[in-house]
Amino acid sequence: MTGVLEALRDILWGWPVLLLILAAGMYFSYESCFFQLFHPIRWLRAALGSGKERGSGRLRAITTALAGSIGTGNIVGVAAAITVGGPGAVFWMCASAVLGMMTVFAENYFAAKLREGGSRASGPLSYIERAGKIGGALGGVYALGCALSSLAMGNMVQVNALASACGDLGLPVKWVAAAVGVLVFFVARGGLKAAGRLTEKLVPIMTLLFFAASIAVLWVHRENLPGAVSSIFDGAFTLRAGAGGTAGMLIAMKAGVSRGVFTNEAGLGSSAFAYTDVKGHTPEEIGCMGIFQVFADTIIMCTVTGLCILCSCPPESLDGAELTFYAYRSALGELGGTAVSLCTALFALATVIAWCCYGREGLLYLTRGRGGAVYPVAAGIAAFFGCLMPLSQVFIIGDAMNGLMALPNVLALFWLMRAGNMEKVGLYKPG
């Protein structure tokens, strides 16, 4: 079974798809004269606001988008990237994120622009279905991928991290799996809206606490910090052979890009769902909110988490979330391990809530408004088995489903750009 899943993953999430995502980021970056690098004040002001506030839903949308990425992406995604690709994977996570900033800009921009034009579909589906004669087919593939990915990467991977965190706290994993399965079932039904609002308020606080704990870890292991930074750059460009005779640079690049997309979702289009209800802001401003999302999630948080892991010099026998737990426990004792475990559980729950909304939208689009009753059952079952399955198998399934989202999304973005220059579609041309 594992061999079949790996073959499917290699087809849907192999080098061709990852290179296509990178190409999209490079294309939008080039056409905007690398706006994300040369005009940070402009996109920070658009995302965070300045002076008199106008419009509504901005903060909630950014928080929801970050809830879907910050947390398990930083805790599990970074650790998984280092496990597979070594320290150099951290560099390629950040490099892909720099390009991904403009990809997310384009996704948010087109979704907001076409929503103004009266599109009935929400999020990325509003622009994917407009991609010429094949737009309908691409929309169907994307909706299917969105529904399946919400069960895999947005559900199973998250609850697997939650189960690991609860196990670290001494709770029986089987009982955790059963409880999480029931909880996710009710969340996917549209219940626990109060819990969703509570999580939305707690995630920024827990993010700050996690960041503060990370800074404390780096301070405790400050003597190892120069070596950790050096290992990131050495591993990113090493040509020494690794597994299967593949150059270490290619292993690190694939692991970094793959896990980078997992944490910031650039190229998947999913974050555009979170900005559906933003009012009173231009499509360009909504695009800038996406730039900030990727910056905060990957450039800052993933880099800090990666440095914490590398500075702690963990045993080679550890992998996945265990790497991160070890880093914080080695520096801050049991209190640090407990804190990061609680953060993981909360972030995982927030991500599942966000992705249940995304997946339900995909299924409703695919079934023309029907099938909503099936999704909660599937989500609960996926959550139960996600807690019990090995992390490596869960990631294989999640990667394959991400490919079903990335392919139609990136192709639609290229199609929408092909007939016009950047000014026409709203990407900034620096003056």
Side-chain angles (χ1 to χ4, degrees):
M1 184 64 178
T2 302
V4 175
L5 292 176
E6 288 179 345
L8 182 64
R9 187 266 316 272
D10 292 340
I11 295 173
L12 297 176
W13 198 244
W15 274 113
V17 177
L18 295 178
L19 290 177
L20 183 64
I21 293 174
L22 290 176
M26 178 61 73
Y27 175 66
F28 291 119
S29 296
Y30 172 78
E31 289 293 332
S32 66
C33 297
F34 288 87
F35 169 77
Q36 73 274 40
L37 295 179
F38 295 110
H39 293 271
I41 301 300
R42 291 172 66 178
W43 54 259
L44 281 171
R45 184 183 296 118
L48 301 179
S50 62
K52 183 179 179 180
E53 291 292 338
R54 62 183 181 82
S56 62
R58 174 180 56 84
L59 182 59
R60 173 171 292 188
I62 293 176
T63 303
T64 302
L66 287 174
S69 53
I70 280 185
T72 56
N74 299 93
I75 294 171
V76 180
V78 176
I82 292 175
T83 299
V84 176
V90 177
F91 172 87
W92 292 111
M93 286 183 74
C94 293
S96 65
V98 170
L99 299 179
M101 287 179 178
M102 295 313 298
T103 304
V104 176
F105 179 103
E107 292 167 352
N108 288 359
Y109 171 84
F110 284 126
K113 190 70 174 179
L114 292 176
R115 186 175 72 233
E116 290 180 350
S119 175
R120 295 182 179 180
S122 63
L125 290 167
S126 62
Y127 62 78
I128 293 175
E129 66 177 9
R130 302 289 187 91
K133 296 180 179 180
I134 62 171
L138 291 178
V141 173
Y142 182 89
L144 175 63
C146 184
L148 294 177
S149 189
S150 72
L151 299 177
M153 192 64 77
N155 183 334
M156 298 178 74
V157 171
Q158 314 306 324
V159 299
N160 187 278
L162 189 153
S164 296
C166 291
D168 190 68
L169 295 173
L171 299 177
V173 175
K174 290 184 178 180
W175 286 106
V176 171
V180 169
V182 173
L183 177 63
V184 170
F185 170 79
F186 284 106
V187 168
R189 283 186 62 187
L192 294 181
K193 292 183 179 179
R197 290 192 294 268
L198 178 62
T199 304
E200 177 187 333
K201 293 180 174 63
L202 287 178
V203 164
I205 298 175
M206 297 303 291
T207 299
L208 292 175
L209 289 176
F210 182 74
F211 187 73
S214 301
I215 297 301
V217 171
L218 294 178
W219 174 256
V220 172
H221 293 306
R222 58 189 179 278
E223 293 182 355
N224 298 333
L225 187 57
V229 174
S230 177
S231 68
I232 289 175
F233 288 96
D234 290 343
F237 299 102
T238 182
L239 297 178
R240 288 176 294 181
T246 306
M249 175 180 171
L250 296 179
I251 298 174
M253 183 183 297
K254 185 174 183 179
V257 174
S258 178
R259 298 284 74 83
V261 172
F262 162 54
T263 185
N264 59 49
E265 302 170 13
L268 301 185
S270 53
S271 67
F273 284 118
Y275 297 93
T276 299
D277 295 327
V278 175
K279 308 296 182 183
H281 293 274
T282 66
E284 289 85 355
E285 290 173 328
I286 295 176
C288 286
M289 296 174 196
I291 294 179
F292 172 77
Q293 169 199 333
V294 177
F295 172 76
D297 172 68
T298 307
I299 303 299
I300 295 181
M301 294 297 291
C302 285
T303 300
V304 170
T305 305
L307 288 174
C308 288
I309 293 173
L310 296 175
C311 284
S312 67
C313 303
E316 294 184 0
S317 59
L318 300 180
D319 63 358
E322 294 176 345
L323 281 175
T324 311
F325 296 153
Y326 175 86
Y328 287 80
R329 186 177 291 109
S330 67
L332 306 177
E334 288 302 319
L335 180 62
T338 300
V340 75
S341 295
L342 290 174
C343 286
T344 301
L346 177 65
F347 286 138
L349 179 60
T351 302
V352 171
I353 290 173
W355 271 91
C356 278
C357 296
Y358 303 165
R360 190 170 182 274
E361 288 293 325
L363 183 61
L364 290 177
Y365 180 90
L366 194 65
T367 60
R368 298 178 182 269
R370 298 183 295 272
V374 177
Y375 186 82
V377 177
I381 294 174
F384 175 79
F385 286 104
C387 290
L388 302 177
M389 292 176 62
L391 180 65
S392 58
Q393 291 186 5
V394 174
F395 263 121
I396 290 174
I397 297 173
D399 285 342
M401 298 305 102
N402 277 355
L404 286 178
M405 295 179 68
L407 278 170
N409 179 62
V410 174
L411 291 175
L413 290 176
F414 276 124
W415 188 92
L416 290 167
M417 286 294 300
R418 69 182 178 86
N421 57 38
M422 304 306 290
E423 291 90 349
K424 289 182 179 179
V425 300
L427 290 177
Y428 290 95
K429 277 286 189 180

